[in-house]
Structures are given as C-alpha cells and as structure tokens.
Amino acid sequence: MGQSVLITSRRAKPESPTTPFKDFRIVQFDWHDDSTFMKPFSYISYHRTELGEDISPIDRVLLIVPISMNMLDHMRPFVESAMRQGVKRFVLVSATPARKGEPGLGKVHEYIENLGMEWCVLRPSWFMENFATNYRAVPFVSIDDVVPVACQALLAKKSLNREQIIVGPELLSYNQAASIFSRVLNRPITHRRETAMEHAKLYKMVGLGEVDADLLTRYDTSVARGSDEEVFADCRISGCGRNREKNMLIRKGVPSTPSLESFMS
C-alpha cells in the first residue's frame, strides 16, 4: 500500500537473510521496559534527519497488548508519549470475550476509545492457528484473515472509530474440530475437556504469574460458557466480520476466513 512500516519486538535482532522480518525495519520495544518506549520514534528521526531517508513519521500504531491483568498501566505511558510524538490513530487488537470496560483488555479498549483520537478495536475470535481446548462451539478465525482488517483500520483515510468483531464462517465445537483433524490427518484425534484450574496451571507452566494466568483463564471460561456463540449469532444479523459486503473495514476481493478443514488442507 506504499506505507512505511516499523516493526517492534522485545527481541529485535539485526536484519539478516534468514529472519522473517528481513525486508522490514525492526526496533526493540518492551512493554515492561519504559526505556524502550521512545526507540521507534528515535529510529525514525535518525533515519530521516541523519541519513536523509524518505520515510514518514509515525502517525498510526497497532497495539498488541502485554499479557498482564494491569496491562493498561504498562501501556498508558507509551500511548501518552506516542501522542506527544504525533501519533493520531491507535488500533488495538483485543478479543471477542473482552468487552469494553471489563478487566484486562476491556479496560484498554475503554481507554483507547475515550482518548479523543482516531481509533479502532479489533475483536477476533479464537485463532485456528493457536488451537486450545474448550467446551462450547467457537467461530474460529484465521490470523491471515485478521491482517487485512488491521491494515484497513490503520490505513483507511477516514478512521472507523468503533470496534470490529471478526469471526470465522462457522461454529465448531472442539469435538467437531477433532473429527476434522482425524479426517484430514487420517489418524484418530480426540478432544479432552480441561477444567479452568487445569487451564490456569498450564498458563503458569509457561511462565505467567498467578494473576495473569487467572486473566487468560477468565477469557477461556467466558468462551466455555458460550460468549463466542452469542457473538457469532449477533454477527449473522449485523454482518460483523462474516458478511464481507456489509463489512466497512474489509475491501471487496479479500477472501473470507477459510473453514478449519480447508485451512488444514
């Protein structure tokens, strides 16, 4: 789309032919280290003024939240600094279980919406690439399908200034998903339900603290109680992320989210 892109990462490394970001600019950034908050802006300033490169200032930011119950406390200082540096639009990646104003992502959603800046909050359903376990049906969405929505939210001339629900084309229970895996892989795959306590234990095993693990478990529990089924039902009426003709964010011609079976094939 002819736009300059700067990628940030906690473990930013020098560009090399073997890195997935070899064709992009990348700079270090860590939500838990405020000394990195100005690095993206310093990087752009240096390349513009010292090296004379033709790259635009940062005026739009895609926000990927840190996993933390108090994530807003980590994010607010950067957002405020970014506004002082000329950022005019923020696009937040949230999730369907995270309603505005609720703890965690919901608080960040509320904050971004009330800034008085250009904004959009993306609320995709569970990613089929990041398969977990649950009790109820989920309208799995592909990461590849979220990307064009995020691009439109960032690059559209007129900011949408609303949340955008993104769901897949069908509701699937985890037992149904296991059946699809079995058919495509030609070997038996079964689904075992996990309790909320087992989920929390798993999150702690991968390094999350108790409070943060409980936050993610809360989202899992919400989906287990049918929150995504309700979102999917609403989307069937309003269009949301399923009806591409009614979706203001997704340009015509972008394919809809593939089914889980076609994704695996």
Side-chain angles (χ1 to χ4, degrees), residues 63 75 79 90-92 107-121:
L63 297 170
M75 299 176 70
V79 171
F90 295 95
V91 176
L92 171 69
K107 288 295 184 184
V108 183
H109 178 159
E110 184 177 55
Y111 171 69
I112 294 298
E113 181 175 339
N114 292 334
L115 281 174
M117 309 293 287
E118 297 180 352
W119 67 280
C120 181
V121 175

Side-chain angles (χ1 to χ4, degrees), residues 122-249:
L122 308 180
R123 292 179 59 199
S125 181
W126 265 201
F127 294 134
M128 60 178 66
E129 293 92 340
N130 189 21
F131 209 67
T133 182
N134 221 304
Y135 300 89
R136 300 286 287 270
V138 175
F140 292 103
V141 68
S142 170
I143 293 174
D144 289 341
D145 205 49
V146 176
V147 171
V149 185
C151 287
Q152 289 293 322
L154 282 168
L155 302 177
K157 186 174 182 180
K158 183 178 180 180
S159 178
L160 193 63
N161 293 342
R162 68 176 175 87
E163 70 174 22
Q164 175 66 31
I165 302 292
I166 309 170
V167 297
E170 57 189 336
L171 278 172
L172 286 175
S173 70
Y174 280 77
N175 285 334
Q176 289 173 316
S179 295
I180 293 173
F181 276 109
S182 299
R183 185 163 60 253
V184 174
L185 299 176
N186 197 30
R187 61 187 178 90
I189 303 293
T190 58
H191 165 241
R192 182 181 70 84
R193 291 183 177 181
E194 290 184 342
T195 65
M197 186 176 297
E198 288 175 312
H199 264 199
K201 183 178 179 180
L202 177 62
Y203 290 133
K204 293 171 187 175
M205 286 176 59
V206 298
L208 292 181
E210 184 171 352
V211 174
D212 299 337
D214 288 344
L215 173 64
L216 290 183
T217 302
R218 182 181 304 179
Y219 291 148
D220 290 330
T221 301
S222 175
V223 175
R225 291 173 177 169
S227 64
D228 268 22
E229 293 180 15
E230 296 174 6
V231 168
F232 185 80
D234 290 341
C235 285
R236 295 182 68 178
I237 298 172
S238 66
C240 294
R242 298 177 71 250
N243 189 328
R244 282 351 191 216
E245 295 299 319
K246 294 182 180 179
N247 189 335
M248 296 174 61
L249 274 178

Side-chain angles (χ1 to χ4, degrees), residues 237-265:
I237 298 172
S238 66
C240 294
R242 298 177 71 250
N243 189 328
R244 282 351 191 216
E245 295 299 319
K246 294 182 180 179
N247 189 335
M248 296 174 61
L249 274 178
I250 304 178
R251 63 188 184 279
K252 289 184 178 180
V254 175
S256 61
T257 299
S259 67
L260 182 60
E261 187 162 5
S262 64
F263 170 78
M264 293 179 62
S265 302

Side-chain angles (χ1 to χ4, degrees), residues 22 32 60 80 94 197 218 241:
K22 63 183 179 66
H32 299 282
R60 305 174 189 203
E80 292 175 352
S94 184
M197 186 176 297
R218 182 181 304 179

